[in-house]
Amino acid sequence: MEPMETSKVENVRLLDRFDPRHPVTGTLYLTATHLIFIDPDGKKETWILHQHIASVEKLQMTAFGSPLRVKCKTYMNVTFILPRERECQDIMVTLQKLSRPESLEDLYCFHYVSQGGYSQTDGWQLFSLEKEFFRMGIPNQFWDFSHLNKNYELCDTYANLLVVPASATTPMLMGSSRFRSRGRLPALSYLHRNGASICRCSQPLAGFSARCLEDEQLLRAILQTNPKSARMCIVDTRPKINAMANRAKGKGYENENYYTDVQFHFIGIENIHVMRNGLSKLMDACDSSCATVSSYLSALDKSDWLKHIKAILDTSVFIANKVEDEAANVVVHCSDGWDRTAQTCSIASLLLDPYFRTIHGFQALIEKEWLSFGHKFTDRCGFLDADAKETSPVFTQFIDCVWQLTQLYPMAFQFNERFLVELHDHVYSCQFGTFVGNCEKDRVDLMVSQRTYSLWAFMQSRIDDYLNHLFQPNSNHSPNVMRPDTSSQNLRLWVGLYLRFEDGLLPRESIADWISATKGRAQSLNDHTRLLEKRIADLRFLVLHRDDLKSSTCHSEGHDVDSGLSENEVGSDKQSQKYRSESGEPTARSSGDLPEDSLTSTAPRVSDTESGFEELCHPSSRASFGSVGVAGSTLRDLKRPSVDLSLDQIALELNSVAIDWKNPRDVTHCGCAAPFRYLNCKYNCWKCGEVYCGRCIDRHIALPGHYSGKSVPVCRPCYKTLKSSPSYIDLAAVAKQRGLHSPLCAAAAPHLAAKRTSCSRGTTSRLVMSVKIASTAPAELARMRLLLRKTKMATANTGTKVRLS
């Protein structure tokens, strides 16, 4: 790319559409990938990816400078006022070149380097067309795989693997391909559990009288794959007048006289040009400062956008009902079979199969219906500087229809609104190679799987952000087959997509985000509670069996129990015993005072398994642990703690988990100046509880205060603090290195080695504690934290007597 003549412009004004008299003044930066506006006073940043720019327009000169309007494919519209017209012209020309490159090789995905936790190879093997059809029960006696398109010679816009009737012959398939527009012969799209199927293709080259015997035989073979139905249905998604007009071009639709046992249905979904104009009118209605509500609603109605959405949904419902209620095979096509056909087949499959309502299933649906069957993403999304008449919001309408269904069935989908919006934005961003190209052959030729990152890998790394916490599969709220009511009153404008940058029109956060934050905090507290209960049990053990541990240790060295103790410590010992006698606690000085299951038992206990002792220690190591008995019992049988407790360790565990999380509703901007809009996710740091954006909380680490050792999101300062702490043990890393299931088991290994050395040398810590614990599982987390904090403060000096109630 040629060097940019202007890369930085100062004193630029950013206009507020609703308050143009109070613009924001800052600096405009132009990089190789983004247009960035920074307001140093208000700490406001606006980032616009070049591939997201739909148009750049220089407006009439004003007294303040030269206005530059930027409209984005993400429906963000901004107006900058540059102080000098020459700079405005340079910025406009540069943005026009950068936003619409001439070659696919110049797209962002071929230069992007990920900084996340995924590699370039991740995500590309997530989906397999063959495995998806295996899930449907193919091959079987009626359907089989065809490899005629292995080198994309039969149809260059189809995948290299097709599913066709098992009775179809090679001449039949080749003849049908020649008779269909673009060679897109009928192929299986979805096989329902009742045996009915959905096939897709393009319009026939029938003209007014042409026919093809091979094509008629292939459709007959498709009919015969379903013994439950004597008739099949051909759905032409175009208005009939459009289909009749195509006859004059030598195309058209099937002649009813040549195709027997077939029902024909025309459903009027408009073409790509009408859809493009409808979106343009919708954006004009949303962008205009209408004086009254009626004028806004009138402009919205004239766009016919919701009318188009309803037409797509109605067609999909019609197809799904034919398959489910009548068990009839359905063949769907439009003109070339890659726009309206993809929309209706996808949504019909979504209505029929609950699997496609999961995150992985929805990704598989897109891979199958849109990528494998050759939707023209490069042309329809306007990636290159090409014919603007080929652009159309076909995929946007599909995403909109799915969102409408999520509003009608809020508990039936595993993914949330943010998932759909992010998917929409990344289709246009070209940051990932998943949607680059017009068909599978284009992506193979470009080697996108070797040269670019996969969008699915990126989304998998942030899967928690996309979960719908209201999702209830296999319930009355999530039927196997959806039958939505697509009445006009049930459809609404998707404000979260088309008006998401209008801060005053949307709440500061969605209910789903609030539920997600509440669930995350509950998980953290529950995990922390488990660890605190374990630590209380450990301290209880040390208190109740301190004398036995000392006697066993001293016995191994040939010393008296009280040898090496100071006079004060001996006095503390006696007071400790006296206190336990008065309080009813067992002194455990003899075998008769010990529980029966602690006497000379060699079977591994539950505590050993939980702590990792049974898993980590070699039998000889465990034998050395219990080689010296205490009145007929071994040290291992005393259920001693799995980890040597230290003050630093307990302090780190207590301080590593946030108990009070900051309320996201009170936060409008992140510390990095990024504004929080409706669908911008707000993350609480699990260590400090503060709120950050996704850019500032991109670290995951296992907190010492969590029992599970699971990696959780933390902010960068907390991550550095934990990593630099001398008492921190990377639980997840140790577990991964040793190949263990529980990170806590791995963390216990170095401590167990230290224990063996300590026991053999008779250097057991002389910690004298007398603790009264009402119960081993306190009900409230605050109570447990207070107990451990008191323990930490009172045992600052070794040999100090501690009494907690």
Side-chain angles (χ1 to χ4, degrees):
M1 187 185 70
E2 298 180 358
M4 293 175 286
E5 296 185 7
T6 303
S7 59
K8 176 182 178 182
V9 182
E10 296 181 345
N11 298 322
V12 176
R13 299 187 176 195
L14 174 61
L15 296 184
D16 186 337
R17 183 164 68 91
F18 295 101
D19 190 12
R21 296 183 179 181
H22 297 87
V24 179
T25 303
T27 304
L28 190 65
Y29 297 90
L30 184 59
T31 70
T33 58
H34 289 80
L35 179 67
I36 308 170
F37 175 82
I38 299 179
D39 168 27
D41 297 331
K43 295 183 179 180
K44 180 179 180 180
E45 294 184 8
T46 301
W47 290 61
I48 301 176
L49 184 67
H50 293 331
Q51 288 296 142
H52 276 161
I53 296 177
S55 64
V56 185
E57 181 183 4
K58 188 164 72 74
L59 304 180
Q60 186 176 0
M61 193 76 174
T62 67
F64 300 100
S66 181
L68 184 69
R69 178 180 295 171
V70 179
K71 293 186 177 182
C72 301
K73 300 172 185 177
T74 57
Y75 314 112
M76 172 193 281
N77 295 333
V78 294
T79 301
F80 302 103
I81 298 182
L82 284 72
R84 288 175 290 276
E85 185 177 7
R86 173 63 184 273
E87 293 174 334
C88 182
Q89 180 69 23
D90 292 342
I91 293 291
M92 183 189 69
V93 173
T94 305
L95 286 177
Q96 288 175 343
K97 292 181 179 179
L98 293 175
S99 61
R100 305 195 69 180
E102 296 181 356
S103 172
L104 288 173
E105 300 282 348
D106 296 329
L107 292 177
Y108 183 29
C109 59
F110 293 103
H111 309 282
Y112 168 70
V113 178
S114 171
Q115 303 297 326
Y118 55 93
S119 65
Q120 201 170 43
T121 59
D122 294 341
W124 293 112
Q125 305 301 325
L126 187 64
F127 171 81
S128 169
L129 187 62
E130 188 174 11
K131 291 181 180 179
E132 174 59 22
F133 283 118
F134 279 157
R135 188 187 66 84
M136 299 180 190
I138 298 168
N140 53 41
Q141 60 176 329
F142 299 112
W143 298 94
D144 201 357
F145 294 109
S146 173
H147 297 277
L148 279 179
N149 202 39
K150 182 177 181 180
N151 297 319
Y152 307 103
E153 295 177 353
L154 187 67
C155 176
D156 60 356
T157 59
Y158 270 0
N160 58 4
L161 180 68
L162 302 176
V163 176
V164 297
S167 60
T169 62
T170 298
M172 191 185 302
L173 297 175
M174 297 183 66
S176 177
S177 177
R178 290 191 293 266
F179 186 67
R180 294 282 170 172
S181 176
R182 309 283 183 175
R184 298 172 66 88
L185 71 159
L188 181 68
S189 169
Y190 171 73
L191 181 63
H192 199 43
R193 52 183 170 269
N194 63 2
S197 64
I198 300 176
C199 295
R200 54 181 295 178
C201 59
S202 62
Q203 63 182 340
L205 304 179
F208 290 101
S209 59
R211 64 182 299 186
C212 176
L213 294 178
E214 292 84 0
D215 188 73
E216 297 168 16
Q217 293 170 359
L218 180 58
L219 289 185
R220 186 72 182 175
I222 293 175
L223 172 62
Q224 294 173 351
T225 60
N226 183 12
K228 297 180 181 179
S229 179
R231 297 178 66 83
M232 65 181 297
C233 178
I234 295 180
V235 175
D236 194 327
T237 59
R238 302 168 292 179
K240 188 171 183 179
I241 188 172
N242 293 5
M244 295 178 64
N246 280 340
R247 276 192 163 187
K249 303 177 182 178
K251 301 179 182 180
Y253 54 93
E254 293 82 0
N255 192 321
E256 299 182 18
N257 297 325
Y258 302 145
Y259 295 88
T260 58
D261 298 325
V262 173
Q263 296 177 343
F264 293 88
H265 294 274
F266 289 92
I267 302 177
I269 302 177
E270 299 294 343
N271 58 34
I272 60 172
H273 311 293
V274 176
M275 300 301 187
R276 182 176 61 250
N277 294 334
L279 180 61
S280 178
K281 293 178 181 178
L282 174 65
M283 291 298 98
D284 290 341
C286 295
D287 194 42
S288 63
S289 300
C290 297
T292 62
V293 174
S294 60
S295 59
Y296 165 75
L297 294 177
S298 176
L300 181 62
D301 181 63
K302 290 179 181 178
S303 69
D304 288 335
W305 184 254
L306 291 179
K307 175 184 175 182
H308 300 322
I309 297 298
K310 176 175 167 53
I312 298 171
L313 286 173
D314 287 341
T315 305
S316 304
V317 171
F318 175 82
I319 296 172
N321 290 340
K322 283 287 183 181
V323 171
E324 172 67 15
D325 298 339
E326 302 179 18
N329 288 353
V330 180
V331 176
V332 185
H333 71 75
C334 52
S335 295
D336 291 322
W338 48 43
D339 293 322
R340 289 165 282 193
T341 303
Q343 291 173 331
T344 53
C345 288
S346 303
I347 299 174
S349 300
L350 196 72
L351 298 175
L352 292 168
D353 195 338
Y355 168 70
F356 293 130
R357 300 168 212 158
T358 65
I359 292 179
H360 184 269
F362 191 72
Q363 292 170 344
L365 179 68
I366 292 174
E367 286 274 358
K368 176 172 65 74
E369 297 294 342
W370 295 83
L371 295 172
S372 296
F373 276 104
H375 176 66
K376 301 171 64 176
F377 280 101
T378 296
D379 292 346
R380 296 294 182 257
C381 298
F383 293 161
L384 303 179
D385 186 15
D387 187 4
K389 293 182 179 180
E390 284 293 311
T391 62
S392 186
V394 178
F395 191 77
T396 299
Q397 288 181 321
F398 163 68
I399 296 295
D400 197 330
C401 290
V402 175
W403 179 81
Q404 301 287 349
L405 293 175
T406 63
Q407 302 307 296
L408 296 175
Y409 297 92
M411 299 182 183
F413 292 84
Q414 188 186 21
F415 49 84
N416 56 20
E417 181 181 15
R418 180 177 291 107
F419 175 81
L420 296 175
V421 172
E422 194 139 330
L423 176 61
H424 170 274
D425 289 352
H426 280 298
V427 167
Y428 287 95
S429 71
C430 297
Q431 182 176 343
F432 304 94
T434 305
F435 295 94
V436 171
N438 284 328
C439 57
E440 182 180 283
K441 182 178 182 298
D442 288 352
R443 287 180 282 276
V444 171
D445 294 341
L446 290 169
M447 296 186 294
V448 295
S449 59
Q450 290 84 34
R451 300 173 59 194
T452 67
Y453 290 86
S454 170
L455 174 60
W456 308 138
F458 167 78
M459 302 190 85
Q460 184 64 33
S461 67
R462 304 176 59 185
I463 193 71
D464 292 340
D465 295 345
Y466 309 131
L467 293 177
N468 173 22
H469 298 289
L470 301 178
F471 179 50
Q472 293 184 7
N474 304 320
S475 68
N476 295 332
H477 304 286
S478 180
N480 284 332
V481 177
M482 288 182 174
R483 302 179 185 274
D485 181 3
T486 59
S487 303
S488 299
Q489 60 268 25
N490 289 332
L491 304 181
R492 48 181 172 158
L493 179 67
W494 188 2
V495 179
L497 177 67
Y498 305 114
L499 292 170
R500 58 183 143 146
F501 296 103
E502 307 296 345
D503 297 333
L505 299 178
L506 293 166
R508 285 173 290 183
E509 62 276 323
S510 64
I511 296 178
D513 287 344
W514 181 84
I515 295 175
S516 178
T518 304
K519 184 178 180 181
R521 184 186 179 193
Q523 290 175 348
S524 178
L525 294 181
N526 289 335
D527 206 350
H528 192 42
T529 300
R530 292 185 63 195
L531 183 72
L532 293 178
E533 291 174 345
K534 183 72 171 66
R535 288 292 171 262
I536 289 175
D538 293 343
L539 292 176
R540 178 182 174 86
F541 171 86
L542 293 176
V543 170
L544 298 181
H545 302 288
R546 176 191 59 82
D547 296 329
D548 302 305
L549 295 176
K550 286 198 301 181
S551 63
S552 65
T553 303
C554 295
H555 179 72
S556 67
E557 294 289 333
H559 297 325
D560 185 69
V561 172
D562 291 331
S563 62
L565 291 178
S566 66
E567 184 176 349
N568 291 335
E569 289 170 330
V570 173
S572 299
D573 249 351
K574 295 179 180 179
Q575 295 176 11
S576 172
Q577 296 175 27
K578 178 181 178 182
Y579 172 75
R580 283 193 303 234
S581 299
E582 293 175 353
S583 61
E585 296 285 358
T587 58
R589 297 291 293 175
S590 66
S591 60
D593 296 328
L594 295 174
E596 287 187 15
D597 61 353
S598 67
L599 299 177
T600 63
S601 173
T602 59
R605 305 179 326 270
V606 176
S607 62
D608 290 333
T609 305
E610 289 179 353
S611 66
F613 182 83
E614 177 69 23
E615 201 170 343
L616 283 172
C617 291
H618 191 272
S620 62
S621 302
R622 296 197 296 270
S624 66
F625 237 163
S627 59
V628 182
V630 182
S633 65
T634 65
L635 282 177
R636 182 174 66 84
D637 294 328
L638 291 178
K639 299 183 180 180
R640 62 186 301 161
S642 61
V643 182
D644 283 338
L645 297 179
S646 66
L647 297 180
D648 291 340
Q649 179 188 348
I650 293 177
L652 182 66
E653 291 174 351
L654 291 175
N655 296 323
S656 66
V657 178
I659 301 301
D660 297 322
W661 285 20
K662 190 170 185 178
N663 189 352
R665 290 185 61 85
D666 302 329
V667 183
T668 58
H669 286 76
C670 178
C672 67
F676 286 122
R677 292 192 170 94
Y678 174 59
L679 287 176
N680 291 138
C681 205
K682 298 178 181 179
Y683 301 90
N684 284 93
C685 173
W686 287 42
K687 182 183 182 301
C688 66
E690 294 296 322
V691 178
Y692 297 91
C693 67
R695 193 170 55 178
C696 298
I697 199 167
D698 56 350
R699 300 288 191 272
H700 285 72
I701 193 172
L703 297 181
H706 282 167
Y707 183 85
S708 65
K710 178 183 176 182
S711 294
V712 297
V714 295
C715 62
R716 295 177 182 177
C718 290
Y719 181 85
K720 293 179 181 179
T721 301
L722 286 172
K723 279 293 188 179
S724 60
S725 173
S727 302
Y728 174 74
I729 301 174
D730 194 343
L731 304 177
V734 174
K736 183 178 181 181
Q737 178 182 1
R738 295 176 180 262
L740 302 176
H741 299 291
S742 172
L744 287 177
C745 298
H751 298 284
L752 291 174
K755 280 184 179 181
R756 291 195 296 270
T757 303
S758 176
C759 290
S760 63
R761 295 181 181 179
T763 57
T764 303
S765 174
R766 297 188 297 271
L767 177 63
V768 181
M769 296 185 300
S770 178
V771 181
K772 180 181 179 182
I773 303 177
S775 63
T776 59
E780 297 179 358
L781 179 62
R783 182 180 175 186
M784 290 184 289
R785 287 178 61 85
L786 179 60
L787 178 62
L788 289 182
R789 284 186 181 278
K790 287 182 178 180
T791 304
K792 171 198 176 240
M793 295 171 58
T795 57
N797 298 318
T798 303
T800 302
K801 175 184 174 183
V802 182
R803 178 172 298 178
L804 302 178
S805 57

